[in-house]
mmCIF file of all heavy atoms in Angstrom:
data_model
loop_
_atom_site.group_PDB
_atom_site.id
_atom_site.type_symbol
_atom_site.label_atom_id
_atom_site.label_comp_id
_atom_site.label_asym_id
_atom_site.label_seq_id
_atom_site.Cartn_x
_atom_site.Cartn_y
_atom_site.Cartn_z
ATOM 1 N N MET A 65 0.846 -1.179 0.000
ATOM 2 C CA MET A 65 0.000 0.000 0.000
ATOM 3 C C MET A 65 0.889 1.239 0.000
ATOM 4 O O MET A 65 1.856 1.317 0.726
ATOM 5 C CB MET A 65 -0.882 0.001 1.253
ATOM 6 C CG MET A 65 -1.891 1.136 1.245
ATOM 7 S SD MET A 65 -2.897 1.158 2.747
ATOM 8 C CE MET A 65 -1.820 2.045 3.853
ATOM 9 N N SER A 66 0.586 2.186 -0.841
ATOM 10 C CA SER A 66 1.341 3.434 -0.826
ATOM 11 C C SER A 66 0.405 4.559 -0.388
ATOM 12 O O SER A 66 -0.804 4.484 -0.563
ATOM 13 C CB SER A 66 1.926 3.728 -2.199
ATOM 14 O OG SER A 66 0.897 3.936 -3.132
ATOM 15 N N ILE A 67 0.993 5.583 0.145
ATOM 16 C CA ILE A 67 0.212 6.742 0.561
ATOM 17 C C ILE A 67 0.743 7.974 -0.155
ATOM 18 O O ILE A 67 1.897 8.006 -0.577
ATOM 19 C CB ILE A 67 0.265 6.971 2.092
ATOM 20 C CG1 ILE A 67 1.693 7.240 2.551
ATOM 21 C CG2 ILE A 67 -0.352 5.801 2.830
ATOM 22 C CD1 ILE A 67 1.771 7.758 3.963
ATOM 23 N N GLU A 68 -0.114 8.956 -0.291
ATOM 24 C CA GLU A 68 0.300 10.212 -0.890
ATOM 25 C C GLU A 68 0.950 11.069 0.195
ATOM 26 O O GLU A 68 0.394 11.225 1.278
ATOM 27 C CB GLU A 68 -0.915 10.924 -1.470
ATOM 28 C CG GLU A 68 -0.580 12.225 -2.171
ATOM 29 C CD GLU A 68 -1.802 12.889 -2.782
ATOM 30 O OE1 GLU A 68 -2.882 12.803 -2.169
ATOM 31 O OE2 GLU A 68 -1.678 13.470 -3.856
ATOM 32 N N VAL A 69 2.124 11.586 -0.118
ATOM 33 C CA VAL A 69 2.801 12.478 0.822
ATOM 34 C C VAL A 69 2.776 13.893 0.250
ATOM 35 O O VAL A 69 3.221 14.115 -0.876
ATOM 36 C CB VAL A 69 4.264 12.031 1.062
ATOM 37 C CG1 VAL A 69 4.981 13.024 1.965
ATOM 38 C CG2 VAL A 69 4.292 10.634 1.669
ATOM 39 N N LEU A 70 2.232 14.812 0.995
ATOM 40 C CA LEU A 70 2.221 16.215 0.604
ATOM 41 C C LEU A 70 3.275 16.953 1.417
ATOM 42 O O LEU A 70 3.472 16.665 2.600
ATOM 43 C CB LEU A 70 0.843 16.832 0.852
ATOM 44 C CG LEU A 70 -0.308 16.148 0.111
ATOM 45 C CD1 LEU A 70 -1.639 16.781 0.500
ATOM 46 C CD2 LEU A 70 -0.100 16.214 -1.383
ATOM 47 N N CYS A 71 3.955 17.897 0.772
ATOM 48 C CA CYS A 71 5.052 18.589 1.430
ATOM 49 C C CYS A 71 5.221 19.959 0.785
ATOM 50 O O CYS A 71 5.092 20.091 -0.432
ATOM 51 C CB CYS A 71 6.332 17.763 1.262
ATOM 52 S SG CYS A 71 7.792 18.566 1.943
ATOM 53 N N ASN A 72 5.508 20.967 1.569
ATOM 54 C CA ASN A 72 5.676 22.303 0.982
ATOM 55 C C ASN A 72 7.142 22.751 0.930
ATOM 56 O O ASN A 72 7.419 23.930 0.708
ATOM 57 C CB ASN A 72 4.810 23.333 1.717
ATOM 58 C CG ASN A 72 5.334 23.676 3.097
ATOM 59 O OD1 ASN A 72 6.232 23.012 3.599
ATOM 60 N ND2 ASN A 72 4.770 24.694 3.717
ATOM 61 N N VAL A 73 8.055 21.832 1.097
ATOM 62 C CA VAL A 73 9.487 22.177 1.049
ATOM 63 C C VAL A 73 9.938 22.158 -0.415
ATOM 64 O O VAL A 73 10.449 21.154 -0.923
ATOM 65 C CB VAL A 73 10.312 21.207 1.913
ATOM 66 C CG1 VAL A 73 11.785 21.629 1.932
ATOM 67 C CG2 VAL A 73 9.765 21.160 3.327
ATOM 68 N N ASP A 74 9.745 23.269 -1.110
ATOM 69 C CA ASP A 74 9.893 23.229 -2.566
ATOM 70 C C ASP A 74 11.329 23.335 -3.062
ATOM 71 O O ASP A 74 11.567 23.360 -4.262
ATOM 72 C CB ASP A 74 8.983 24.273 -3.234
ATOM 73 C CG ASP A 74 9.379 25.707 -2.916
ATOM 74 O OD1 ASP A 74 10.386 25.917 -2.215
ATOM 75 O OD2 ASP A 74 8.664 26.617 -3.379
ATOM 76 N N ASN A 75 12.300 23.372 -2.168
ATOM 77 C CA ASN A 75 13.684 23.280 -2.639
ATOM 78 C C ASN A 75 14.284 21.900 -2.367
ATOM 79 O O ASN A 75 15.500 21.724 -2.432
ATOM 80 C CB ASN A 75 14.560 24.379 -2.026
ATOM 81 C CG ASN A 75 14.744 24.213 -0.539
ATOM 82 O OD1 ASN A 75 13.905 23.628 0.132
ATOM 83 N ND2 ASN A 75 15.854 24.725 -0.025
ATOM 84 N N CYS A 76 13.432 20.926 -2.112
ATOM 85 C CA CYS A 76 13.887 19.534 -1.990
ATOM 86 C C CYS A 76 13.832 18.891 -3.370
ATOM 87 O O CYS A 76 12.905 19.142 -4.150
ATOM 88 C CB CYS A 76 12.974 18.773 -1.023
ATOM 89 S SG CYS A 76 13.368 17.003 -0.917
ATOM 90 N N LYS A 77 14.812 18.048 -3.704
ATOM 91 C CA LYS A 77 14.839 17.427 -5.034
ATOM 92 C C LYS A 77 13.657 16.502 -5.266
ATOM 93 O O LYS A 77 13.353 16.157 -6.408
ATOM 94 C CB LYS A 77 16.163 16.684 -5.261
ATOM 95 C CG LYS A 77 16.352 15.452 -4.424
ATOM 96 C CD LYS A 77 17.723 14.824 -4.627
ATOM 97 C CE LYS A 77 17.748 13.927 -5.848
ATOM 98 N NZ LYS A 77 19.011 13.172 -5.942
ATOM 99 N N TYR A 78 12.957 16.086 -4.225
ATOM 100 C CA TYR A 78 11.802 15.188 -4.377
ATOM 101 C C TYR A 78 10.476 15.922 -4.406
ATOM 102 O O TYR A 78 9.425 15.313 -4.503
ATOM 103 C CB TYR A 78 11.784 14.152 -3.243
ATOM 104 C CG TYR A 78 12.988 13.266 -3.260
ATOM 105 C CD1 TYR A 78 13.964 13.364 -2.264
ATOM 106 C CD2 TYR A 78 13.179 12.332 -4.272
ATOM 107 C CE1 TYR A 78 15.091 12.562 -2.281
ATOM 108 C CE2 TYR A 78 14.307 11.524 -4.300
ATOM 109 C CZ TYR A 78 15.251 11.643 -3.298
ATOM 110 O OH TYR A 78 16.363 10.853 -3.330
ATOM 111 N N TRP A 79 10.545 17.239 -4.316
ATOM 112 C CA TRP A 79 9.301 18.019 -4.335
ATOM 113 C C TRP A 79 8.810 18.167 -5.768
ATOM 114 O O TRP A 79 9.597 18.351 -6.696
ATOM 115 C CB TRP A 79 9.552 19.397 -3.726
ATOM 116 C CG TRP A 79 8.334 20.271 -3.692
ATOM 117 C CD1 TRP A 79 7.421 20.349 -2.685
ATOM 118 C CD2 TRP A 79 7.899 21.190 -4.695
ATOM 119 N NE1 TRP A 79 6.436 21.258 -3.005
ATOM 120 C CE2 TRP A 79 6.706 21.788 -4.247
ATOM 121 C CE3 TRP A 79 8.387 21.556 -5.952
ATOM 122 C CZ2 TRP A 79 6.000 22.737 -4.985
ATOM 123 C CZ3 TRP A 79 7.682 22.492 -6.694
ATOM 124 C CH2 TRP A 79 6.515 23.076 -6.201
ATOM 125 N N ALA A 80 7.486 18.105 -5.966
ATOM 126 C CA ALA A 80 6.889 18.303 -7.293
ATOM 127 C C ALA A 80 5.693 19.231 -7.182
ATOM 128 O O ALA A 80 5.095 19.398 -6.112
ATOM 129 C CB ALA A 80 6.465 16.959 -7.896
ATOM 130 N N LYS A 81 5.351 19.816 -8.317
ATOM 131 C CA LYS A 81 4.232 20.757 -8.401
ATOM 132 C C LYS A 81 2.987 20.178 -7.728
ATOM 133 O O LYS A 81 2.686 18.989 -7.870
ATOM 134 C CB LYS A 81 3.943 21.023 -9.888
ATOM 135 C CG LYS A 81 3.028 22.168 -10.145
ATOM 136 C CD LYS A 81 2.962 22.409 -11.647
ATOM 137 C CE LYS A 81 1.890 23.443 -11.945
ATOM 138 N NZ LYS A 81 1.723 23.590 -13.395
ATOM 139 N N GLY A 82 2.299 21.047 -7.014
ATOM 140 C CA GLY A 82 1.121 20.595 -6.284
ATOM 141 C C GLY A 82 1.460 20.159 -4.866
ATOM 142 O O GLY A 82 0.669 19.493 -4.202
ATOM 143 N N ASP A 83 2.680 20.522 -4.434
ATOM 144 C CA ASP A 83 3.156 20.141 -3.099
ATOM 145 C C ASP A 83 3.158 18.627 -2.908
ATOM 146 O O ASP A 83 2.789 18.108 -1.851
ATOM 147 C CB ASP A 83 2.329 20.820 -2.001
ATOM 148 C CG ASP A 83 2.791 22.249 -1.746
ATOM 149 O OD1 ASP A 83 3.831 22.656 -2.315
ATOM 150 O OD2 ASP A 83 2.123 22.952 -0.977
ATOM 151 N N LYS A 84 3.581 17.897 -3.957
ATOM 152 C CA LYS A 84 3.662 16.441 -3.853
ATOM 153 C C LYS A 84 5.103 16.008 -3.607
ATOM 154 O O LYS A 84 6.038 16.570 -4.185
ATOM 155 C CB LYS A 84 3.150 15.781 -5.138
ATOM 156 C CG LYS A 84 1.671 16.048 -5.403
ATOM 157 C CD LYS A 84 1.225 15.288 -6.619
ATOM 158 C CE LYS A 84 -0.175 15.650 -7.063
ATOM 159 N NZ LYS A 84 -1.178 15.497 -6.059
ATOM 160 N N CYS A 85 5.272 15.009 -2.782
ATOM 161 C CA CYS A 85 6.572 14.370 -2.601
ATOM 162 C C CYS A 85 6.624 13.172 -3.546
ATOM 163 O O CYS A 85 5.748 12.313 -3.514
ATOM 164 C CB CYS A 85 6.753 13.899 -1.155
ATOM 165 S SG CYS A 85 8.282 12.962 -0.924
ATOM 166 N N VAL A 86 7.657 13.122 -4.408
ATOM 167 C CA VAL A 86 7.736 12.046 -5.393
ATOM 168 C C VAL A 86 8.847 11.037 -5.053
ATOM 169 O O VAL A 86 9.229 10.229 -5.888
ATOM 170 C CB VAL A 86 7.934 12.610 -6.819
ATOM 171 C CG1 VAL A 86 6.702 13.407 -7.239
ATOM 172 C CG2 VAL A 86 9.184 13.479 -6.921
ATOM 173 N N ALA A 87 9.339 11.073 -3.842
ATOM 174 C CA ALA A 87 10.304 10.061 -3.410
ATOM 175 C C ALA A 87 9.606 8.703 -3.316
ATOM 176 O O ALA A 87 8.404 8.624 -3.046
ATOM 177 C CB ALA A 87 10.892 10.446 -2.052
ATOM 178 N N ASP A 88 10.331 7.624 -3.570
ATOM 179 C CA ASP A 88 9.755 6.277 -3.461
ATOM 180 C C ASP A 88 9.326 5.982 -2.036
ATOM 181 O O ASP A 88 8.363 5.272 -1.791
ATOM 182 C CB ASP A 88 10.773 5.217 -3.898
ATOM 183 C CG ASP A 88 11.018 5.261 -5.401
ATOM 184 O OD1 ASP A 88 10.146 5.785 -6.133
ATOM 185 O OD2 ASP A 88 12.068 4.778 -5.835
ATOM 186 N N LYS A 89 10.063 6.516 -1.098
ATOM 187 C CA LYS A 89 9.701 6.381 0.305
ATOM 188 C C LYS A 89 10.372 7.523 1.053
ATOM 189 O O LYS A 89 11.349 8.102 0.581
ATOM 190 C CB LYS A 89 10.120 5.033 0.884
ATOM 191 C CG LYS A 89 11.616 4.801 0.880
ATOM 192 C CD LYS A 89 11.946 3.446 1.464
ATOM 193 C CE LYS A 89 13.455 3.216 1.447
ATOM 194 N NZ LYS A 89 13.831 1.883 1.953
ATOM 195 N N ILE A 90 9.856 7.848 2.208
ATOM 196 C CA ILE A 90 10.502 8.870 3.025
ATOM 197 C C ILE A 90 10.768 8.289 4.407
ATOM 198 O O ILE A 90 10.095 7.358 4.852
ATOM 199 C CB ILE A 90 9.679 10.173 3.143
ATOM 200 C CG1 ILE A 90 8.365 9.943 3.873
ATOM 201 C CG2 ILE A 90 9.452 10.804 1.781
ATOM 202 C CD1 ILE A 90 7.672 11.234 4.281
ATOM 203 N N SER A 91 11.732 8.882 5.050
ATOM 204 C CA SER A 91 12.073 8.500 6.410
ATOM 205 C C SER A 91 11.892 9.718 7.309
ATOM 206 O O SER A 91 12.466 10.775 7.049
ATOM 207 C CB SER A 91 13.526 8.014 6.457
ATOM 208 O OG SER A 91 13.908 7.716 7.781
ATOM 209 N N VAL A 92 11.064 9.576 8.301
ATOM 210 C CA VAL A 92 10.827 10.660 9.258
ATOM 211 C C VAL A 92 11.468 10.273 10.585
ATOM 212 O O VAL A 92 11.304 9.135 11.056
ATOM 213 C CB VAL A 92 9.316 10.918 9.447
ATOM 214 C CG1 VAL A 92 9.078 11.970 10.514
ATOM 215 C CG2 VAL A 92 8.690 11.343 8.118
ATOM 216 N N ILE A 93 12.200 11.214 11.147
ATOM 217 C CA ILE A 93 12.905 10.930 12.398
ATOM 218 C C ILE A 93 12.458 11.886 13.502
ATOM 219 O O ILE A 93 12.007 12.996 13.224
ATOM 220 C CB ILE A 93 14.435 11.030 12.226
ATOM 221 C CG1 ILE A 93 14.827 12.436 11.771
ATOM 222 C CG2 ILE A 93 14.929 9.966 11.271
ATOM 223 C CD1 ILE A 93 16.319 12.694 11.829
ATOM 224 N N GLY A 94 12.605 11.453 14.718
ATOM 225 C CA GLY A 94 12.401 12.306 15.875
ATOM 226 C C GLY A 94 13.708 13.010 16.200
ATOM 227 O O GLY A 94 14.752 12.370 16.327
ATOM 228 N N LEU A 95 13.660 14.312 16.313
ATOM 229 C CA LEU A 95 14.900 15.067 16.526
ATOM 230 C C LEU A 95 15.433 14.932 17.946
ATOM 231 O O LEU A 95 16.602 15.214 18.206
ATOM 232 C CB LEU A 95 14.665 16.544 16.196
ATOM 233 C CG LEU A 95 14.295 16.816 14.732
ATOM 234 C CD1 LEU A 95 14.010 18.296 14.525
ATOM 235 C CD2 LEU A 95 15.414 16.361 13.798
ATOM 236 N N GLN A 96 14.604 14.507 18.856
ATOM 237 C CA GLN A 96 15.031 14.342 20.248
ATOM 238 C C GLN A 96 15.188 12.867 20.618
ATOM 239 O O GLN A 96 15.298 12.537 21.785
ATOM 240 C CB GLN A 96 14.016 14.994 21.191
ATOM 241 C CG GLN A 96 13.682 16.433 20.874
ATOM 242 C CD GLN A 96 14.867 17.373 21.020
ATOM 243 O OE1 GLN A 96 15.785 17.123 21.801
ATOM 244 N NE2 GLN A 96 14.859 18.451 20.258
ATOM 245 N N GLY A 97 15.127 11.980 19.637
ATOM 246 C CA GLY A 97 15.163 10.551 19.921
ATOM 247 C C GLY A 97 13.939 9.891 19.322
ATOM 248 O O GLY A 97 13.415 10.347 18.313
ATOM 249 N N ARG A 98 13.454 8.844 19.931
ATOM 250 C CA ARG A 98 12.370 8.046 19.339
ATOM 251 C C ARG A 98 10.974 8.520 19.729
ATOM 252 O O ARG A 98 9.985 7.891 19.375
ATOM 253 C CB ARG A 98 12.552 6.575 19.707
ATOM 254 C CG ARG A 98 13.866 6.012 19.175
ATOM 255 C CD ARG A 98 13.939 4.525 19.350
ATOM 256 N NE ARG A 98 12.972 3.827 18.525
ATOM 257 C CZ ARG A 98 13.182 3.484 17.256
ATOM 258 N NH1 ARG A 98 14.310 3.765 16.669
ATOM 259 N NH2 ARG A 98 12.258 2.843 16.575
ATOM 260 N N LYS A 99 10.887 9.592 20.471
ATOM 261 C CA LYS A 99 9.586 10.146 20.833
ATOM 262 C C LYS A 99 9.563 11.636 20.522
ATOM 263 O O LYS A 99 10.605 12.293 20.484
ATOM 264 C CB LYS A 99 9.283 9.917 22.311
ATOM 265 C CG LYS A 99 9.129 8.438 22.657
ATOM 266 C CD LYS A 99 8.735 8.231 24.089
ATOM 267 C CE LYS A 99 8.389 6.783 24.404
ATOM 268 N NZ LYS A 99 9.126 5.772 23.653
ATOM 269 N N ALA A 100 8.349 12.173 20.273
ATOM 270 C CA ALA A 100 8.211 13.607 20.000
ATOM 271 C C ALA A 100 7.005 14.135 20.759
ATOM 272 O O ALA A 100 6.016 13.415 20.971
ATOM 273 C CB ALA A 100 8.039 13.847 18.510
ATOM 274 N N ASP A 101 7.097 15.385 21.181
ATOM 275 C CA ASP A 101 5.962 16.017 21.864
ATOM 276 C C ASP A 101 5.159 16.896 20.925
ATOM 277 O O ASP A 101 4.006 17.197 21.193
ATOM 278 C CB ASP A 101 6.454 16.860 23.046
ATOM 279 C CG ASP A 101 6.936 15.989 24.189
ATOM 280 O OD1 ASP A 101 6.313 14.934 24.429
ATOM 281 O OD2 ASP A 101 7.943 16.342 24.819
ATOM 282 N N ASP A 102 5.774 17.336 19.825
ATOM 283 C CA ASP A 102 5.047 18.128 18.845
ATOM 284 C C ASP A 102 5.759 18.004 17.496
ATOM 285 O O ASP A 102 6.845 17.429 17.397
ATOM 286 C CB ASP A 102 4.900 19.587 19.269
ATOM 287 C CG ASP A 102 6.227 20.230 19.587
ATOM 288 O OD1 ASP A 102 7.153 20.114 18.762
ATOM 289 O OD2 ASP A 102 6.350 20.840 20.671
ATOM 290 N N MET A 103 5.159 18.566 16.460
ATOM 291 C CA MET A 103 5.682 18.378 15.107
ATOM 292 C C MET A 103 7.067 18.984 14.915
ATOM 293 O O MET A 103 7.823 18.539 14.048
ATOM 294 C CB MET A 103 4.711 18.965 14.078
ATOM 295 C CG MET A 103 4.534 20.460 14.191
ATOM 296 S SD MET A 103 3.357 21.054 12.966
ATOM 297 C CE MET A 103 4.422 22.102 12.008
ATOM 298 N N GLU A 104 7.404 19.964 15.708
ATOM 299 C CA GLU A 104 8.717 20.577 15.566
ATOM 300 C C GLU A 104 9.839 19.644 15.986
ATOM 301 O O GLU A 104 11.017 19.914 15.726
ATOM 302 C CB GLU A 104 8.765 21.884 16.366
ATOM 303 C CG GLU A 104 7.857 22.933 15.750
ATOM 304 C CD GLU A 104 7.790 24.213 16.558
ATOM 305 O OE1 GLU A 104 8.375 24.251 17.644
ATOM 306 O OE2 GLU A 104 7.135 25.155 16.100
ATOM 307 N N GLU A 105 9.489 18.551 16.615
ATOM 308 C CA GLU A 105 10.499 17.573 17.011
ATOM 309 C C GLU A 105 10.577 16.409 16.024
ATOM 310 O O GLU A 105 11.184 15.382 16.315
ATOM 311 C CB GLU A 105 10.199 17.072 18.429
ATOM 312 C CG GLU A 105 10.358 18.172 19.462
ATOM 313 C CD GLU A 105 10.146 17.702 20.881
ATOM 314 O OE1 GLU A 105 9.878 16.515 21.103
ATOM 315 O OE2 GLU A 105 10.231 18.558 21.790
ATOM 316 N N THR A 106 9.942 16.556 14.854
ATOM 317 C CA THR A 106 10.039 15.548 13.803
ATOM 318 C C THR A 106 10.646 16.183 12.559
ATOM 319 O O THR A 106 10.582 17.395 12.370
ATOM 320 C CB THR A 106 8.658 14.960 13.438
ATOM 321 O OG1 THR A 106 7.891 15.940 12.745
ATOM 322 C CG2 THR A 106 7.917 14.502 14.675
ATOM 323 N N ALA A 107 11.242 15.377 11.717
ATOM 324 C CA ALA A 107 11.875 15.913 10.512
ATOM 325 C C ALA A 107 11.960 14.837 9.439
ATOM 326 O O ALA A 107 12.040 13.639 9.731
ATOM 327 C CB ALA A 107 13.281 16.421 10.840
ATOM 328 N N CYS A 108 11.952 15.288 8.186
ATOM 329 C CA CYS A 108 12.103 14.374 7.057
ATOM 330 C C CYS A 108 13.590 14.158 6.794
ATOM 331 O O CYS A 108 14.299 15.078 6.379
ATOM 332 C CB CYS A 108 11.438 14.953 5.814
ATOM 333 S SG CYS A 108 11.639 13.862 4.390
ATOM 334 N N LYS A 109 14.029 12.935 7.021
ATOM 335 C CA LYS A 109 15.443 12.606 6.813
ATOM 336 C C LYS A 109 15.768 12.397 5.336
ATOM 337 O O LYS A 109 16.934 12.395 4.938
ATOM 338 C CB LYS A 109 15.764 11.335 7.612
ATOM 339 C CG LYS A 109 17.225 10.992 7.706
ATOM 340 C CD LYS A 109 17.394 9.751 8.544
ATOM 341 C CE LYS A 109 18.852 9.311 8.545
ATOM 342 N NZ LYS A 109 19.004 8.022 9.219
ATOM 343 N N THR A 110 14.749 12.238 4.522
ATOM 344 C CA THR A 110 14.948 11.980 3.090
ATOM 345 C C THR A 110 15.255 13.261 2.320
ATOM 346 O O THR A 110 15.727 13.217 1.184
ATOM 347 C CB THR A 110 13.697 11.289 2.510
ATOM 348 O OG1 THR A 110 13.395 10.157 3.331
ATOM 349 C CG2 THR A 110 13.903 10.814 1.088
ATOM 350 N N PHE A 111 15.012 14.404 2.924
ATOM 351 C CA PHE A 111 15.261 15.693 2.255
ATOM 352 C C PHE A 111 16.646 15.747 1.624
ATOM 353 O O PHE A 111 17.638 15.381 2.257
ATOM 354 C CB PHE A 111 15.122 16.843 3.272
ATOM 355 C CG PHE A 111 15.620 18.159 2.735
ATOM 356 C CD1 PHE A 111 14.797 18.939 1.955
ATOM 357 C CD2 PHE A 111 16.909 18.589 2.997
ATOM 358 C CE1 PHE A 111 15.251 20.168 1.442
ATOM 359 C CE2 PHE A 111 17.381 19.801 2.497
ATOM 360 C CZ PHE A 111 16.544 20.590 1.727
ATOM 361 N N GLU A 112 16.675 16.214 0.374
ATOM 362 C CA GLU A 112 17.946 16.520 -0.295
ATOM 363 C C GLU A 112 17.766 17.831 -1.026
ATOM 364 O O GLU A 112 16.778 18.010 -1.747
ATOM 365 C CB GLU A 112 18.338 15.428 -1.301
ATOM 366 C CG GLU A 112 18.858 14.176 -0.652
ATOM 367 C CD GLU A 112 19.406 13.192 -1.682
ATOM 368 O OE1 GLU A 112 20.206 13.615 -2.543
ATOM 369 O OE2 GLU A 112 18.995 12.035 -1.640
ATOM 370 N N HIS A 113 18.682 18.730 -0.846
ATOM 371 C CA HIS A 113 18.604 20.032 -1.496
ATOM 372 C C HIS A 113 18.689 19.875 -3.012
ATOM 373 O O HIS A 113 19.533 19.137 -3.497
ATOM 374 C CB HIS A 113 19.769 20.906 -1.010
ATOM 375 C CG HIS A 113 19.518 22.368 -1.127
ATOM 376 N ND1 HIS A 113 19.304 22.989 -2.323
ATOM 377 C CD2 HIS A 113 19.427 23.334 -0.184
ATOM 378 C CE1 HIS A 113 19.111 24.278 -2.134
ATOM 379 N NE2 HIS A 113 19.172 24.514 -0.828
ATOM 380 N N ASP A 114 17.785 20.551 -3.721
ATOM 381 C CA ASP A 114 17.893 20.521 -5.186
ATOM 382 C C ASP A 114 19.032 21.440 -5.606
ATOM 383 O O ASP A 114 19.478 22.290 -4.854
ATOM 384 C CB ASP A 114 16.572 20.910 -5.846
ATOM 385 C CG ASP A 114 16.155 22.347 -5.530
ATOM 386 O OD1 ASP A 114 16.934 23.073 -4.872
ATOM 387 O OD2 ASP A 114 15.048 22.725 -5.924
ATOM 388 N N GLU A 115 19.514 21.260 -6.785
ATOM 389 C CA GLU A 115 20.653 22.074 -7.266
ATOM 390 C C GLU A 115 20.272 22.763 -8.555
ATOM 391 O O GLU A 115 19.615 22.222 -9.368
ATOM 392 C CB GLU A 115 21.887 21.197 -7.480
ATOM 393 C CG GLU A 115 22.421 20.606 -6.203
ATOM 394 C CD GLU A 115 22.939 21.644 -5.189
ATOM 395 O OE1 GLU A 115 23.351 22.738 -5.604
ATOM 396 O OE2 GLU A 115 22.927 21.338 -4.000
HETATM 397 S S1 SF4 B 122 11.657 14.016 0.706
HETATM 398 FE FE1 SF4 B 122 10.807 14.978 2.542
HETATM 399 S S2 SF4 B 122 11.345 17.137 2.361
HETATM 400 FE FE2 SF4 B 122 11.570 16.215 0.345
HETATM 401 S S3 SF4 B 122 9.622 16.565 -0.718
HETATM 402 FE FE3 SF4 B 122 9.531 14.539 0.253
HETATM 403 S S4 SF4 B 122 8.583 14.905 2.260
HETATM 404 FE FE4 SF4 B 122 9.301 16.881 1.481
#
């Protein structure tokens, strides 16, 4: 099963028009470890800067 991932980080190489993420998969990590208290403690590890 695949899910649609929407993202507004438009300088990522996986970003596409319509705020779509076109990566085959993404990895989301907790910035403080394996638990988070709010969204600011999570991040997309798959991000790569476009050139
Ligand atoms: S890889 Fe992460 S940062 Fe990049 S478009 Fe997809 S969700 Fe956004």
Side-chain angles (χ1 to χ4, degrees):
M65 186 182 84
S66 64
I67 62 168
E68 182 178 36
V69 176
L70 301 176
C71 176
N72 73 349
V73 184
D74 66 2
N75 67 334
C76 175
K77 69 184 277 188
Y78 298 110
W79 180 90
K81 192 174 172 186
D83 279 353
K84 296 184 188 304
C85 175
V86 295
D88 290 338
K89 63 180 180 182
I90 65 167
S91 176
V92 176
I93 60 169
L95 297 177
Q96 307 296 332
R98 299 189 67 85
K99 295 184 172 32
D101 288 322
D102 55 50
M103 64 181 243
E104 292 176 355
E105 294 183 0
T106 71
C108 179
K109 190 178 175 187
T110 308
F111 169 84
E112 285 188 49
H113 204 298
D114 63 5
E115 294 296 334

